[in-house]
């Protein structure tokens, strides 16, 4: 076999049509062997003799796409110095574009012996571990174009590849649970009909099923356990894992783009699947442990701000390069449209504290590729000072956890909620205005993959996670949920009616709020996980979306609310409200006004009242301060939003000076949530009785 010197860049395995260049970074190694793996279980070892700046490299003519490979690193095994090299462990390429197989858990994939963790383990891991795959980079993208949907037109739909598609009756069984299912017309028709503009996929980077979960007969269903930052997860491919997963993912992106739907990836750059000092040796740990991971003062151990056993070393230039190379790869080669960063506060931990001016954010800010896509932070981690909602830099949007908590509190009847609810409804200016960001920095949600579903939030006070095998200790205990009087399933028609109304309240509130709405998959037709608020290990029908056969009232209501939002720019403002008349809009009324149910303007005393749980909001469509794309003035209908979160019916007076005649366009007290045909007409000064815990929207033409 011929071996040429090759190049140190790009890292990974790069196929050029005639052969493949291999390049891998390790400063800790004495020697590195590239192992080409054969289907009979044998391997061909090639020593990488060329090294530039600690990047070992070689070019091997004739190595084609589909070739499996790995690395064996010869070097010091000295955990007391943070070094864990062990040539008996076949290692994944950190830059592998595809990964084949799965880990067969046993002592072979660990660097130590189970009975003696201080003693090095020289059992060969090759037959028991995953392998890297050379891929063909060529793909016919045709005339694929990114939708580039602006944030004020964006509706995000968070979904799990398998969970969303596994039980869809319109999908062929062989495609269910795969990337190909995302490209199927039946699924795309649902998303476009709902008004979704962006599909935010839970982790699709190659991840590992934890040893502990496999021993319990469970799986890491959610996938927040990454081992390959460039490789699409192979279990979601319908027709092979020797590079087919790359082609299938690209085909799904292309089909979604044709439908005008962006693809956003939930990415986990804060830690890897190798766990703590007792975790397996799969890749980074054996290549160069102290360069990839944040080690404790005693380098045998790992600092952990993620709750997973380790954290990547965000001040290492090699880690930063890998993350940026990965992000650019998914944008340029896989055509994705943005990223949601799991536990993003960890990415800001250059040293110990969270620093929003850390190297990672500097790199993103100046990168000509990554800075141009959607960047969404989950703005917290489990380390000290890790809750950073509102503190991420410009360019970034954030999952607004305060929005979720406040909206839940309002509708479940918590006192002293109204003032903060007003802030959340109008885009959370207290969080985003001081650093020059706008309402669209707030990704609003009331539910997501983590926690109760929308149905369970109104059906359970307590978590019911016994199926997870941890005696119900896992998962959040403070859910801000309310079961409407009965825990779990019930045949009581009054409770069922109240729960349905509450789900309409949450859905309507989300889509009437300034900011960017995010819907969790299946919530549009009230899916349930039967009270499990931490279904991370439930790869089964408990967590998979059960699709209704004949439609669902909540689905129709959700569609109506999404399209109401789409049709009216006053419901998706790009600037914060001024709270006064807007110069140049030819309207003497304020752009927003707040009223008590009696129709009087809210006073400070009204806002501070502990019992206050109802108000009316006036949105002036004739006082929109931001211009259109060509500088034109934007004018829209005006709206009155009437919220009655109290436990009893209330009379609301239509304010007398903000429009003569209005039409009811939303009423969550109705089973369908929106009036059939033309809604009732009401006049200024009229009284409307709002059912307990309900919401009504009035519309006045421009």
């Amino acid at each position: 076999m011929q071996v040429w010197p090759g190049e140190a860049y790009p890292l990974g395995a790069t196929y050029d049509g005639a052969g493949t260049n291999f390049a891998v970074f390790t400063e800790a190694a004495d020697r590195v062997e590239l192992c080409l793996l054969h289907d009979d279980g044998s391997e061909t070892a090639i020593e990488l003799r060329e090294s530039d700046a600690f990047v070992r490299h070689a070019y091997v003519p004739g190595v084609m796409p589909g070739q499996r490979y790995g690395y064996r690193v010869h070097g010091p095994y000295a955990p007391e110095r943070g070094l864990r090299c062990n040539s008996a462990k076949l290692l994944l390429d950190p830059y592998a574009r595809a990964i084949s197989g799965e880990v067969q858990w046993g002592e072979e994939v660990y660097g130590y012996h189970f009975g003696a963790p201080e003693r090095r383990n020289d059992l060969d891991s090759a037959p028991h571990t995953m392998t890297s795959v050379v891929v063909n980079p060529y793909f016919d993208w045709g005339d694929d174009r990114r939708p580039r949907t602006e944030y004020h037109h964006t509706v995000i739909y968070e979904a799990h590849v398998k969970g969303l598609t596994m039980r869809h009756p319109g999908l062929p069984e062989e495609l269910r649970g795969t990337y190909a299912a995302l490209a199927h017309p039946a699924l795309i028709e649902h998303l476009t009909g709902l008004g979704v503009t962006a599909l935010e996929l839970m982790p699709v980077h190659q991840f590992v099923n934890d040893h502990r979960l496999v021993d319990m007969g469970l799986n890491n269903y959610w996938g927040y356990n990454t081992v390959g930052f460039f490789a699409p997860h192979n279990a979601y491919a319908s027709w092979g894992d020797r590079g087919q997963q790359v082609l299938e993912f690209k085909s799904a992106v292309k089909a979604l783009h044709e439908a005008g739907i962006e693809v956003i990836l939930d990415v986990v750059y804060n830690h890897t699947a190798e766990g703590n000092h007792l975790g397996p040796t799969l890749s980074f740990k054996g290549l160069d442990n102290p360069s990839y991971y944040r080690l404790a003062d005693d380098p045998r151990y790992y600092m952990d701000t993620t709750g997973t056993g380790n954290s990547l070393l965000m001040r290492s230039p090699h880690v930063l390069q890998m993350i940026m190379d990965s992000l650019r790869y998914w944008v340029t080669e896989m055509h994705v449209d943005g990223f949601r960063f799991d536990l993003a506060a960890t990415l800001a931990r250059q040293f110990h504290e969270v620093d929003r001016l850390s190297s990672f954010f500097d790199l993103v800010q100046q990168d000509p590729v990554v800075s141009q896509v959607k960047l969404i932070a989950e703005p917290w981690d489990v380390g000290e000072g890790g809750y950073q909602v509102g503190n991420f830099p410009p360019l970034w949007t954030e999952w607004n956890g305060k929005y979720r908590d406040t909206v839940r509190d309002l509708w479940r009847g918590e006192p002293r909620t109204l003032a903060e609810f007003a802030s959340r409804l109008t885009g959370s200016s207290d969080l985003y205005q001081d650093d020059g960001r706008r309402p669209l920095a707030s990704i609003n949600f009331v539910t997501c993959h983590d926690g109760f579903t929308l149905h369970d939030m109104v059906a359970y006070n307590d978590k019911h996670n016994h199926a997870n095998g941890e005696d119900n200790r896992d998962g959040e205990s403070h859910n801000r949920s309310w079961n409407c009087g009965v825990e779990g399933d019930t045949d009581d028609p009054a409770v069922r009616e109240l729960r349905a109304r509450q789900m309409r309240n949450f859905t309507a509130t989300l889509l009437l709020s300034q900011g960017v709405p995010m819907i969790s998959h299946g919530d549009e037709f009230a899916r349930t996980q039967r009270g499990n608020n931490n279904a991370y290990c439930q790869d089964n029908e408990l967590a998979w979306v059960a699709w209704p056969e004949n439609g669902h009232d909540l689905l129709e209501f959700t569609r109506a609310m999404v399209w109401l939002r789409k049709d009216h720019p006053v419901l998706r403002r790009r600037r914060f409200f001024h709270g006064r008349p807007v110069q140049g809009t030819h309207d003497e009324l304020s752009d927003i006004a707040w009223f008590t149910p009696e129709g009087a303007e809210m006073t400070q005393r009204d806002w501070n009242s502990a019992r206050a749980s109802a108000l009316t909001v006036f949105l002036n469509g004739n006082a929109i301060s931001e211009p259109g794309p060509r500088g034109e003035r934007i004018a829209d209908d005006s709206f009155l939003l009437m919220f009655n979160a109290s436990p009893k019916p209330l009379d609301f007076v239509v304010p007398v000076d903000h429009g003569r005649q209005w039409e009811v366009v939303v009423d969550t007290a109705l089973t369908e949530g929106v009036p059939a045909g033309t809604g009732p007409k009401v006049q200024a000064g009229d009284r409307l009785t709002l059912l307990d815990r309900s919401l009504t929207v009035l519309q006045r033409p421009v």
Side-chain angles (χ1 to χ4, degrees):
M1 178 175 287
Q2 287 185 308
V3 180
W4 301 348
E7 302 290 340
Y9 191 84
L11 291 164
T14 306
Y15 171 68
D16 64 3
T20 302
N21 188 81
F22 295 89
V24 63
F25 162 78
T26 170
E27 190 173 346
D30 297 328
R31 291 191 304 120
V32 176
E33 289 178 308
L34 165 68
C35 299
L36 302 179
L37 306 169
H38 311 298
D39 289 342
D40 62 3
S42 63
E43 62 184 60
T44 300
I46 301 169
E47 185 168 347
L48 302 184
R49 300 183 182 277
E50 298 293 327
S51 178
D52 294 300
F54 302 110
V55 176
R56 313 294 176 105
H57 54 88
Y59 180 92
V60 187
V63 171
M64 297 286 111
Q67 173 65 59
R68 295 182 302 125
Y69 71 98
Y71 292 107
R72 294 189 185 273
V73 171
H74 301 260
Y77 182 81
E80 69 279 4
R81 292 191 287 133
L83 299 169
R84 295 180 179 270
C85 301
N86 186 339
S87 60
K89 309 305 168 188
L90 185 74
L91 304 177
L92 290 169
D93 181 355
Y95 278 70
R97 268 54 171 182
I99 292 173
S100 177
E102 60 182 5
V103 177
Q104 302 297 324
W105 290 110
E107 200 170 32
E108 295 85 356
V109 297
Y110 290 82
Y112 63 92
H113 288 281
F114 288 171
E118 72 285 347
R119 189 159 60 90
R120 170 175 156 150
N121 174 347
D122 289 326
L123 296 172
D124 185 10
S125 71
H128 307 277
T129 194
M130 313 167 89
T131 55
S132 307
V133 180
V134 177
V135 304
N136 188 339
Y138 306 108
F139 179 79
D140 183 8
W141 283 103
D143 59 356
D144 179 68
R145 293 186 179 182
R146 293 188 182 87
R148 299 187 184 279
T149 308
E150 294 184 83
Y151 271 119
H152 65 288
H153 290 299
T154 295
V155 177
I156 298 174
Y157 188 84
E158 188 202 27
H160 187 283
V161 172
K162 188 173 185 179
L164 178 65
T165 63
M166 199 64 186
R167 301 175 69 185
H168 194 299
L171 297 176
E173 286 200 21
E174 65 272 16
L175 296 185
R176 294 181 185 182
T178 71
Y179 301 121
L182 300 178
H184 194 278
L187 191 76
I188 289 178
E189 182 181 350
H190 173 76
L191 297 176
T192 54
L194 188 58
V196 168
T197 69
L199 181 62
E200 183 178 302
L201 295 175
M202 290 173 65
V204 298
H205 287 175
Q206 184 68 52
F207 60 85
V208 173
N209 281 317
D210 315 56
H211 191 169
R212 178 185 67 86
L213 292 176
V214 172
D215 283 350
M216 296 169 62
L218 301 170
N219 286 318
N220 191 319
Y221 167 65
W222 283 354
Y224 292 93
N225 204 34
T226 306
V227 76
F229 295 107
F230 295 78
H233 186 60
N234 57 29
Y236 298 154
S238 63
W239 55 292
D241 69 355
R242 299 285 185 92
Q244 294 94 331
Q245 61 266 55
V246 179
L247 298 177
E248 193 170 320
F249 181 86
K250 289 179 176 179
S251 296
V253 172
K254 184 178 178 181
L256 288 161
H257 281 180
E258 287 176 357
I261 298 173
E262 295 183 308
V263 178
I264 297 171
L265 301 188
D266 192 339
V267 290
V268 190
Y269 292 112
N270 51 72
H271 74 282
T272 79
E274 291 187 300
N276 61 16
H277 62 291
L278 298 177
T281 300
L282 304 175
S283 179
F284 314 93
K285 190 179 286 187
L287 279 165
D288 195 328
N289 191 53
S291 287
Y292 281 108
Y293 293 115
R294 183 189 295 274
L295 302 181
D297 292 338
D298 181 343
R300 291 176 297 175
Y301 305 109
Y302 296 80
M303 290 187 66
D304 178 16
T305 59
T306 63
T308 61
N310 66 57
S311 302
L312 284 171
L313 183 61
M314 295 307 298
R315 65 175 182 270
S316 164
H318 306 289
V319 169
L320 291 169
Q321 180 188 0
M322 179 182 70
I323 293 174
M324 296 306 299
D325 285 349
S326 171
L327 292 169
R328 278 191 295 270
Y329 174 77
W330 286 94
V331 174
T332 59
E333 296 297 320
M334 308 296 264
H335 286 208
V336 305
D337 304 279
F339 305 94
R340 178 266 188 188
F341 293 81
D342 178 66
L343 301 182
T346 291
L347 303 177
R349 291 184 184 273
Q350 190 162 341
F351 294 97
H352 296 283
E353 70 286 348
V354 176
D355 176 9
R356 78 174 193 162
L357 301 179
S358 70
S359 298
F360 172 70
F361 295 112
D362 291 343
L363 290 171
V364 169
Q365 183 82 17
Q366 59 79 42
D367 190 275
V369 174
V370 180
S371 65
Q372 298 305 302
V373 300
K374 287 183 168 67
L375 301 170
I376 304 170
E378 181 186 37
W380 50 79
D381 65 15
V382 300
E384 184 178 353
Y387 193 77
Q388 294 290 318
V389 173
N391 290 334
F392 277 69
L395 282 188
W396 289 76
T397 61
E398 301 175 9
W399 271 26
N400 190 343
K402 292 186 177 182
Y403 176 93
R404 172 201 59 204
D405 295 347
T406 304
V407 171
R408 289 188 179 196
D409 280 349
L410 177 82
W411 286 113
R412 73 189 179 107
E414 281 295 292
R416 301 189 186 281
T417 305
L418 212 54
E420 186 169 359
F421 172 73
S423 178
R424 304 297 158 242
L425 181 74
T426 54
S428 296
S429 59
D430 58 324
L431 300 177
Y432 303 116
Q433 191 169 31
D434 61 345
D435 57 10
R437 288 188 287 172
R438 292 184 172 177
L440 302 167
S442 179
I443 306 297
N444 298 330
F445 65 105
V446 291
T447 58
C448 64
H449 69 273
D450 189 1
F452 282 145
T453 65
L454 180 62
H455 170 278
D456 291 358
M457 189 170 65
V458 301
Y460 294 91
N461 284 350
D462 303 309
K463 63 186 180 183
H464 296 266
N465 298 353
H466 302 282
N468 297 353
E470 299 181 44
D471 295 324
N472 208 35
R473 293 190 302 269
D474 64 300
E476 176 61 58
S477 296
H478 183 46
N479 293 284
R480 291 182 157 91
S481 62
W482 178 50
N483 64 15
C484 299
V486 178
E487 187 75 357
D489 290 341
T490 180
D491 293 326
D492 186 322
V495 174
R496 292 167 66 92
E497 180 185 346
L498 176 56
R499 288 177 177 177
R501 188 160 74 249
Q502 285 285 72
M503 286 190 281
R504 292 192 291 272
N505 290 335
F506 283 116
T507 299
T509 303
L510 174 66
L511 291 159
L512 293 169
S513 298
Q514 305 297 325
V516 180
M518 185 184 79
I519 300 167
S520 181
H521 68 335
D523 275 354
E524 67 271 32
F525 38 75
R527 81 178 185 97
T528 178
Q529 292 178 169
R530 306 207 174 281
N532 191 318
N533 73 352
N534 189 33
Y536 77 102
C537 57
Q538 298 298 324
D539 188 4
N540 52 54
E541 292 190 354
L542 180 71
W544 300 339
V545 173
W547 291 77
E549 294 184 4
N550 301 309
H552 194 286
D553 287 339
L554 184 59
L555 174 59
E556 298 307 317
F557 177 70
T558 305
R559 283 178 180 154
M561 291 305 307
V562 171
W563 287 101
L564 180 69
R565 178 188 182 85
K566 282 178 173 288
D567 289 341
H568 293 285
V570 75
L571 300 177
R572 42 182 175 81
R573 293 278 305 263
R574 287 174 287 135
R575 295 178 181 171
F576 288 111
F577 290 100
H578 299 274
R580 61 178 184 275
V582 177
Q583 188 175 5
T585 60
H586 312 294
D587 197 312
E588 296 181 357
L589 296 175
S590 173
D591 60 351
I592 188 170
W594 307 87
F595 301 93
T596 66
E598 292 76 23
E601 292 206 23
M602 293 278 286
T603 65
Q604 195 61 47
R605 182 176 179 180
D606 295 322
W607 287 116
N608 293 338
S609 171
R611 293 186 175 184
S613 55
L615 82 166
T616 296
V617 188
F618 168 68
L619 303 181
N620 190 348
N622 202 35
I624 298 175
S625 59
E626 59 266 26
R630 297 183 179 179
E632 72 275 17
R633 177 174 173 264
I634 297 175
D636 189 17
D637 297 348
S638 295
F639 290 87
L640 287 172
L641 316 181
M642 296 177 168
F643 297 89
N644 179 19
S646 73
K648 60 183 180 180
L650 289 178
D651 284 346
F652 279 66
V653 176
V654 179
V656 295
D657 296 325
H658 289 72
R660 293 181 184 176
Q661 181 169 288
W662 300 81
E663 179 184 346
V664 177
V665 292
V666 177
D667 184 354
T668 61
L670 302 175
T671 302
E672 63 278 7
V674 290
T678 303
K681 301 291 193 299
V682 296
Q683 308 293 323
D686 283 356
R687 286 184 175 271
L688 292 178
T689 301
L690 267 65
L691 197 63
D692 56 289
R693 296 188 173 90
S694 71
L695 180 163
T696 294
V697 178
L698 308 183
Q699 181 178 350
R700 174 172 62 81
V702 62

